Amino acid sequence: MTHLSLRGSGERFFAACEAALGMRPPTAPNMVASAGGKALLWLGPDEWLAIGQEAAPLREALAGIHSSVVDVTSSRKSLVVSGERAEEILSKAATLDFNVGAFPVGSCAQTNIARTQGIIWRRSTQEFTIYVRSSFAPYLRAWLDDAAQV
Amino acid sequence: MTAFRLAEGGRIDRARPLEFSFDGRKFQGFQGDTLASALLANDVFLVGRSFKYHRPRGVMSAGIEETNALVAVGEGGRLDTNSRATMVELYGGLVARSLNRWPSLGLDLGAINGWFSPLLVAGFYYKTFMWPRRLWQSLYEPLIRRVAGIGEAPAQPDPDRYDKMHRHCDVLVVGGGRAGRAAASEAAAAGKRVVLCDEGDPGAIAKVEVLARTTVFGYYDDNFLCAVESDARRQKRLWHFRAKEVVLATGAHERPLVFGGNDKPGVMLAGAVETYLRRYAVAPGKRAVVFTNNDSGHERARAFRELGIDVAAVIDSREGTVITRTLGGKRVTGVEVGGSRIACDLVAMAGGFSPVVHLYSQAQGKLRWDEKKLCFVPDGCRQAVRVVGRANGEFPEYRIAPLWEVEEDKAFVDFGSDVVARDVHLAAREGFSSVEHFKRYTTTGMAADQGKTSNINALAILAGATGRNIAETGTTTFRAPYAPVSYGVLAGRDLGDFLEPIRVTPMHDWHAAHGAAFENVGQWKRPWYYGRDMHDAVQAEARSVRKSLGVLDASTLGKIDIQGRDAARFLDRIYAGTFSTLAIGRARYGLMCREDGMVFDDGVTARLGENHFHMTTTTGGAARVLDWLEEYLQTEWPELEVYCTSVTEQWATVAVAGPRAGELMKELGFQTELPFMAFKEATIAGIGARVFRISFTGELSYEINVPGDQGLALWKAVMIAGEKHGITPYGTETMHLLRAEKGFIIVGQETDGTVTPYDLGLDWAVAKSKDFIGRRSLTRPDTRREDRKQLVGLLPADPREVLPEGAQITEVDVALPRGHGSKPVPMVGHVTSSYLSPNLGRSFALALVRSGRSRRGAELFVPLQGRAAKVRVVEPVFIK
Amino acid sequence: MLLIRCPWCGPRDETEFRCGGEAHIARPGDPQALDDAAWAEYVFMRNNPKGWFRERWVHSAGCRRWFNAERHTVTHEIRRTYKPGEP
Amino acid sequence: MKRFSAFSLLRNAFTGHEEWPPYWRSPEPKAAYDVVVIGGGGHGLATAYYLAKEHGIRNVAVLERGWLGGGNTGRNTTIVRSNYLWDESAAIYEHALQLFETLSEELNLNVMLSQRGVLNLAHTPGDVREAIRRVNANRLNGIDAEWLDAKQVKEFCPIVNISPDVRYPVIGATLQRRAGVARHDAVAWGYARAADALGVDIIQGCEVTGFDIAGGRVRGVKTSRGAIGAGRVGIVAAGHNSVLAAMAGVRLPLQSHPLQALVSEPVKPVHNCVVMSNAVHVYVSQSDKGELVMGAGIDGFNSYAQRGSFHVIEHQMAACLELFPIFSRLRMMRSWGGIVDVCPDASPIIGPLPVEGLYLNGGWGTGGFKATPGSGHVFAWTLARGEAHPLAKPFALERFTTGALIDEHGAAAVAH
């Protein structure tokens, strides 16, 4: 699955993105726009992680608009934490409130996870996807496995 | 049933007897007992020895405030020392030992200190042990240390692992007594998320998450609280709470009374006696005397009688009578009241109540002295906190009159620190009248209970001794933790390999399988050298790169994608050099300085397009540099249209270097004649790549960047294609050696935060006609000095001599002095890098030397053990 | 342990942030025009009040945006956070 | 001053210790003094003592807002050592250590100097390089220092974990045998008592609220107990130096941060020296009472609250257990915070401020306690003569303008 780091702002930018991607980058902080296996995760006021999108048409659409599209597919690996204890395990690793009322399905957050950082995307009540920098993935995987045992 | 166990009642399970041992003797208790209640039930009253005088001590309380009955529980790596017997849940097979006694609890030679007690007053050690000076450290201090301390630390590592949790809630209730449960239920009924913590087990409450055996010990800013959860055998989990509102229902602690011999086994807090009777069905005596200064003592006496303890007398100070002292040795046998004696085996002290305001005070809540209730009560806090019940001073009908002290010998104020009332008076006399001074001078409040039983009595006595009232005298600050927390719980699972994340590159497994020794570079594991012996490996690796072909995993280098209309302008401000003039497809080396002009990172940046750059940074600097760029973009130059994206992990980097590198590249499918410091996108071994002809080593060298997922495939392809060239993988040590041969600096090795680009002789990398971060600092008087430390090369007179890195350099031929007492020898610099070069056939070094550049050809010395190594200053380039 | 309101992400734990010291210190437009003392003033000299303090923070583990805060250096109360460019 | 000794203690034991006089008087402030020292911590009291003792200036007041030694003097982890890298730092800290070595006799009060040795552990080749650099510099500067390999570290401190299988194995350590710990409160009380005996007025509960400055010259201070005239004024108010300097219209390159420390419950002797580790950020010793004393890292934000954030302690503890796995079941009994004012180069500022007659001795950051006698000694000289003591000269405020910084970031076990 392609990962693109998408940067930009302003109405021209949003319009171009929407035209090229078929979805508009969410402007509400920490929200995810997703459809058909593609997603746009809000990472900052002018920054998104585009998942499952092609870079070339996007770059083309954004030509002449202050923006950046960088392929970061290899930058992160994903870990899935799911099941009845998903909230509990994440609560050992991160300081966020993982209660579904505070962290609804379809939202994401960047935060510290154990002693590294990552993006957490709530896919359903009991399922979270974590995107972590590739070099940290073995560490985080082992940490979460250990946390799940106690 | 034992002599002191009641036939019925209590919350113990008589159907579940539990065997345990104390000091090697076997006993029986029941499920639901604490170690303290089980010991009392077995007529064990002498439980410990006091800190200083080694006086016999027994169980005084039934809770966390216990400061006498400290024992060791468990064995080996699971030894819990200094455990409060009142807080240790009994379990089958529990092994406990008494502490601070030798040879035995009954016969403790340390008790000899009691005979010297007239000498061992508060602060005695400040006044003596000064002569002769050498005896302090050889004799007096070791003696003091041996006598002090309580239990032994475990001798083995702890086999247990610990857990941590974060929990957000609307309302956090601390304390599961009546007030706390009511507050929790009410909040839950209003639809709030409620968590209630209690030291014990308050039972279930509808719609409330109840955490039993969970002690909240810290209350920090913005309603952040920490608690420790235990099971019967250990503290096991640290909780972090962030609560919208906190309700403190922490109750009150009963105060002891201060009179002669109030510390003997059998002298207890009245409330504790009732707890033992009601909750544990243990009568900690047959015949009691109650000593009180308030109404509660009388109620206690009624309860004792009801539950089967004979009460010989209630001594109420409000009626003009007091206990002056207790009788007995290792167990109380009676009391003296006025001139007469009353026989008893239990003295119950009812000295009034102090609300448990510790957490409230930690939360920066203010306290007010209530002259009627004789206690500190909550009086306003910035944080969202409510205090309910007895913690708020809401006692039932309660009249009390001050009795802070019965003037007598051995009238203990702080049991844990062995502070007597006379120590308080001495401190006041010697001018330690500030509460904090007094506390430090006498050590009051510094023992296991952290003043829970002593602070108010001590404060009141101090107030009396200094002619002030208690409100004027003040109180000491309450600090976390409310109850002691084990180090293991605080560390949690972040130990061993989890202490810091281990970062690995996509090629890591290959390196490990091929005998790489790894170096910790920040969090990264980088191949250091390949093979068993570092010296041999490095010599072979270095020779191979210069003679034929070597390959390095350079994936850890920081990489940042920079694009936007103002990207070139931005880089001109960030780097000391100019990047706006860089042609597309070309790369340039750059230095970054801090505003103080000192070098903080370096790397090569290539221009991919008019408005598009690929920056590289040092491995350790990757995150720091990206933060730096963002900081300046967002806060100083928001008008610049530039976006920076970390691509460190997007690209795996394989650097091939050596005379055969060109041939190898051709064989890998790269046909372009790429000039030095140029860049090209290409397909290498079937993988889309960015190829840079740049060099860490000064050899013909290509850096092939491919997406991280393809890193291992590329590495393997390079190894196969390179086989006929004798390709040799090399590690960081060889890379450093090769760089040093060429005089290339390593940030953090040749620099230490005090080195400018000019000091490094890198004037060519500094633009003269534009501003950049740090430029202005380079023209300050000190940075302009001619005699700054400058980078030079050193050639040892003995070509086999490898100078120690870090070694200092002098102008005179001296061995490294002993140190203390030797005459200072001026130093002119130090060795930053030093190697034995197989390519030079000799040793060499880089160094920072004062006025180094003007010393070319001069001789200097590197003082070593027993001799100095002679070195010649040369240009810092050894292989042109 | 502070709870800091990132102007974008909302309240988050202090551990997600890094403090960047005193706010509203602009880099001089032409450093070469300053004398050594004026340059030192910019690089090193800082207010360090006991009381309300305007300081910079970056949400480093979150959206990586810099922002400003008005925080009391004794009570640690943060009465407001605001985006760069806002007064 | 009534002399302290084993004999006087014994004699007083027979009279129930009723005869001991106060350690110091509690005088009312006079209208004016030759020198006013602001700050009754160890540094300020030492300054006053040496002014009286060595410079014959006895008309001196020490003004303390709260209680003597109530700031960092009473909140540090009591380590004394002089193994600093740069010549300037090494000289002043060694001066302090030498004064420490005779301080108990000098002050006639046992400050319990315990030269148990300080180990600075090295975990990476970079650490080793820095360690060798410092050891060699120390020895060439006449300061005792040794490099120990891992085995020797284990011999010197048997409980430290030197297993190669940990995240950051111990490769070796520097050792300064003359370094160790001292009783922090006793240092303040000893200087106070001795200064008082020489006629210095120690005035507690006296907060400075402003300066009387005329014609660019300081003439006195305004306090919560009235105006006090002064020939010269020395600010020695660790943590609060910026606040005081601001009253005189002076901005400093200082930032005040919380620094936390903690102790365990007391245990029998188990740890025989001081261990510091830069890489994993920890320093640990054991007090005479048996408590393990540990310093935590510095909090990243400015604060005057004498409290830090809890995660700092959690991080600290993991590092501690990595080095000392047998401590796992010991318990933290008390934690606290101090306010350290930190300079950009992690070195102090000693010398005149841009107001005539006004001097500063501050910015000691995390390293103040160990400097106490030396700091007071050179500052007294500076105040007495109106010019910087040779050891103080490199630490002038001026260095931030010239660029002659003394960057000691490698020197403390905490990340500044």
Side-chain angles (χ1 to χ4, degrees), chain B residues 324-391:
Chain B
T324 45
R325 64 189 190 98
T326 60
L327 306 170
K330 289 170 193 155
R331 172 93 194 256
V332 69
T333 56
V335 295
E336 253 182 34
V337 177
S340 61
R341 295 181 166 199
I342 304 169
C344 65
D345 62 354
L346 174 65
V347 177
M349 303 180 283
F353 296 97
S354 297
V356 177
V357 292
H358 301 63
L359 294 174
Y360 186 79
S361 173
Q362 285 179 28
Q364 310 303 306
K366 288 199 265 303
L367 302 176
R368 174 178 57 79
W369 178 254
D370 186 319
E371 197 53 54
K372 249 177 85 185
K373 293 173 182 163
L374 297 184
C375 61
F376 283 104
V377 291
D379 192 34
C381 182
R382 184 180 77 76
Q383 303 210 47
V385 55
R386 267 192 308 139
V387 190
V388 299
R390 285 147 49 93

Side-chain angles (χ1 to χ4, degrees), chain A residues 6 13-26 33-36 38-40 50 52-54 57-58 61:
Chain A
L6 174 62
F13 166 80
F14 285 107
C17 287
E18 196 167 4
L21 303 175
M23 58 175 77
R24 200 176 165 85
S34 67
K38 298 176 174 184
L40 283 169
Q53 304 278 9
E54 289 296 311
L58 188 54

Side-chain angles (χ1 to χ4, degrees), chain B residues 446, chain D residues 263-266 285-287 289-293 333-334:
Chain B
M446 292 195 160
Chain D
V263 295
S264 73
E265 295 181 308
S285 64
Q286 187 173 19
S287 73
K289 280 170 71 184
E291 301 154 332
L292 292 170
V293 183
M333 181 172 77
R334 182 170 67 250

Side-chain angles (χ1 to χ4, degrees), chain C residues 1-2 14-15 19 21-22 25 36-37 40-41 44-51 53 55 57 71 73-76, chain D residues 65 239-240 242-243 251-256 299-305 307-311 344 397 400-401 405:
Chain C
M1 180 78 81
L2 310 178
E14 172 194 329
T15 50
C19 185
E22 189 175 5
I25 294 179
D36 290 332
E41 184 74 17
F44 297 115
M45 302 300 165
R46 292 292 179 269
N47 289 323
N48 183 20
K50 187 176 187 175
F53 187 41
E55 62 192 5
W57 288 83
R71 190 177 58 87
T73 58
V74 180
T75 67
H76 293 173
Chain D
R65 184 174 62 104
H240 284 73
S242 297
V243 175
R251 235 152 76 104
L252 297 173
L254 293 175
Q255 297 286 280
S256 297
D299 282 62
F301 53 82
N302 289 24
S303 172
Y304 288 88
R307 64 180 193 277
S309 293
F310 193 65
H311 66 93
L397 180 59
F400 294 96
T401 304
L405 303 190

Side-chain angles (χ1 to χ4, degrees), chain A residues 51-99:
Chain A
I51 296 178
Q53 304 278 9
E54 289 296 311
L58 188 54
R59 285 204 185 102
E60 211 167 288
L62 289 168
I65 300 171
H66 175 43
S67 62
S68 107
V69 177
V70 181
D71 188 338
V72 290
T73 307
S74 286
S75 282
R76 296 186 181 89
K77 295 210 180 308
S78 62
L79 296 169
V80 175
V81 180
S82 65
E84 269 177 25
R85 293 179 62 211
E87 275 183 33
E88 180 205 326
I89 305 301
L90 286 178
S91 293
K92 296 180 184 208
T95 62
L96 298 180
D97 186 353
F98 290 103
N99 186 286

Side-chain angles (χ1 to χ4, degrees), chain B residues 220-222 224 242 382 595-596 626-627 630-631 634-636 771-773 775-777 780-781, chain C residues 1-3 13 18 25-27 31-32 34-36 39 42 44 56 64-66 75-77:
Chain B
Y220 302 88
D221 288 318
D222 296 329
F224 183 83
R242 185 76 77 173
R382 184 180 77 76
E595 284 290 20
D596 67 359
L626 181 64
D627 287 350
E630 284 291 346
E631 179 177 344
Q634 291 181 38
T635 67
E636 294 294 346
D771 186 37
F772 58 86
I773 296 170
R775 181 187 178 198
R776 175 62 186 82
S777 286
R780 293 174 302 167
Chain C
M1 180 78 81
L2 310 178
L3 185 67
D13 204 279
R18 184 165 63 81
I25 294 179
R27 190 171 190 274
Q32 305 307 316
L34 302 181
D35 65 16
D36 290 332
W39 179 245
Y42 161 67
F44 297 115
R56 308 184 309 154
R64 301 192 301 126
R65 294 310 107 175
W66 283 86
T75 67
H76 293 173
E77 180 185 347

